Amino acid sequence: MTTPKPSLRSYWLAGVFFLIPALICLTLYSYFKKQLPERLTNQIQLSGSLAAQDFKRTVEKNVQSLRDIAQRIEETEGLYFDYWKDDAQRLLIQNESLEFVEFINNNGIIEEVVPLNENKAVKGLDIKNLDWRYEDWRNMGNAHKINISQWTSLTQGGFSFLIDVPVFYNGEFQGTITGGMDFNDEFNRLSSYLGDYSIKIEDEQGTRFYDFNNYDLAQKDPEYIFETNLVLDADQNESWSFNLTFANPDVVADSSRVANYALICGIFLSLAIGLLKFLHSKSRRATRIALEANQNLMILNREFQQQTEIAQNAVEAKASFLSNMSHEIRTPLNAIVGIADLMETDPEKAEDPRYKALLRENSRKLLGLINDLLRMDKLESGSSGIYSVEFSPVSVIANVTSFNRKAIEEKGLKFIVDVQTKAKNYVNGDRSKFEQIIGNILLNAIKFTQSGNITLTYSEHEQGEQLYVAISIKDTGIGIPKDKIDTIFDRFTQLDSGIRKKHSGGGLGLAISGKLVQLLGGNIEVMSEEGTGSEFIIHLAFNGLHKKEEIHLSSKLLADLPPLDVLIVDDNKLNIIILSELLKRLGLHSDSAKNGLEAVQKCQTKTYDLIFMDVHMPEMDGFEATRKIKEDHPDVVVLGLSADTTSLSISEGLESGMDNYLTKPIDKTKLLAILREKFQKPPSRTAI
């Protein structure tokens, strides 16, 4: 077969497919060139704004750490002076920008400095002798405002910013907690994400104390320079000048060059698209007929295979079902005939209770199979109607569970019933079908569960005059293979079939339940894992909701918090005192440990219900202590407690096994909510 000759239309379409992409490329190129200055300006403004906020937050975080120490001193009215140096040591470890912490009394004399060895030169220094220092320090302190100095040459050597946090108690200015800070390392870490930019920061005197990516060699066009002032304290005259620009001095020319290359590539790509369209048009007419014929053939073949598979599956399922049903009917029938023969040949055995019991049992089995067959036939023929009567779904659940409890317990299974409602609601609906659905699925769970437990959970919610109910029946039986979950409600399909079948029954229970649920306008969800168990969840809705009655509980609600054994783990004695007093107000008494190692040892000799765990401690930190305690006592509730509020610390705490993470100072409302969530007991209900 020869290839059709290209028509004039093919050439015309090829030209259109070339011109349209080419015009798009030219339009985009023109737009890009026009928008380039604005885009670069917006880019530098956005990047600069975000970077300035990050730098300012870094400074504020370090200032806040000093504020926390001052706040503790104020809250304790000076008692915390015995402990503030311990906190200062921790801050020096946690905040790499912090070089030293000192206390300057209200006379301007440096009383204490941490660490001491590197800063002995300033201990006892009277800053009144420093004209540039004392006046700002005194004025800002009396105004109860934080003071940040300029980039300063220190008496003990080196350069730093001095940050003064005033301390007030007893109505008087007591001095300042002062920190020396060099932000160079933290700023470098923030700048590592800004490799395309240069940054400089100068203090209020114009002294440059930070430079990233050699700012003096960066591009100089003012249009592409972001400038702002970082206001760091209440004095608006004290601020840092922040400048950010592109590190590449030729950024505009380079961006234009990339646009030129993109335009050239776009023209070549447009030409390639036009050629491909031309070749496609040539081959399209030659392949169209073959593709259509092949597609039709594939559709017919697929339909034939589907119908063949359906027919084969139906034949196999019916054959298996008839074989199984023949066996299930013959088994009780043979027993009935055999017992009747024995009773006829030996009249004394006619009065034997065992033979009578066997006759009744096998007769019931036979009657049950016949009833299932008749129900299934009636459902599939559409002749099964819905009969509406007034009934209480909760009462039906009570009846079904009571009726089956003995059979479950005789198999050595645990039967758990959880009715999650306090009201006894009445509805109008088909009580018989509702009861049959629950009974069939419960019997299925009993049949296929040899050990473990069966759990029935009932819940309901009201909406207008309708009552929506959900019933979950969960077992620890043999489970259902994933490839058979979709077929368990089919009439001729059984999970356990063939001559090696281990479980008796006709296999119609689930099929009948599925049909009845559809008839009542509901649905069934099935979740199962082979070898682990299955869960059937039935959703139904009933009309005519009325007559609500409270279900009486067997016991009253317990107190909000039961008696608890509590352990506080903190290397700070004052923190332990404050927390223990707070717990006493909640009616809880506590033990204490000064580090993680001591906490682990205490947990080996006493079982605690609740542990408050500090994070940063000597000998063993809170994360490691939590892991060790949780290994031996997985049920103990461990609440992390730290001034470190970073997401990394919180994440590490939760990963170590902490049940929650509280920050210092403690939010009393949040603490009480957590304690109620973990330890308040729900009201008990009378088991059905």
Side-chain angles (χ1 to χ4, degrees), residues 300-311:
L300 290 173
N301 185 52
R302 185 163 54 248
E303 290 178 352
F304 176 76
Q305 289 179 347
Q306 289 175 350
Q307 293 300 324
T308 301
E309 290 176 1
I310 292 172

Side-chain angles (χ1 to χ4, degrees), residues 57-73 80 84 86-102 146 163-165 167 177-181 183 186 643-646 664-665:
R57 276 196 294 268
T58 298
V59 177
E60 290 173 344
K61 180 196 72 173
N62 285 276
V63 172
Q64 183 61 41
S65 64
L66 296 176
R67 191 195 299 267
D68 289 342
I69 295 179
Q71 185 176 358
R72 293 190 185 100
I73 295 174
Y80 190 68
W84 76 269
D86 294 336
D87 267 5
Q89 290 285 2
R90 279 195 294 274
L91 289 179
L92 289 170
I93 296 173
Q94 297 171 7
N95 302 333
E96 58 184 318
S97 297
L98 190 62
E99 296 184 326
F100 60 86
V101 182
E102 59 189 17
I146 295 175
I163 300 176
D164 306 308
V165 180
V167 177
I177 294 293
T178 298
M181 295 190 183
F183 302 100
E186 285 198 75
D644 188 354
T645 61
T646 62
K664 299 176 182 177

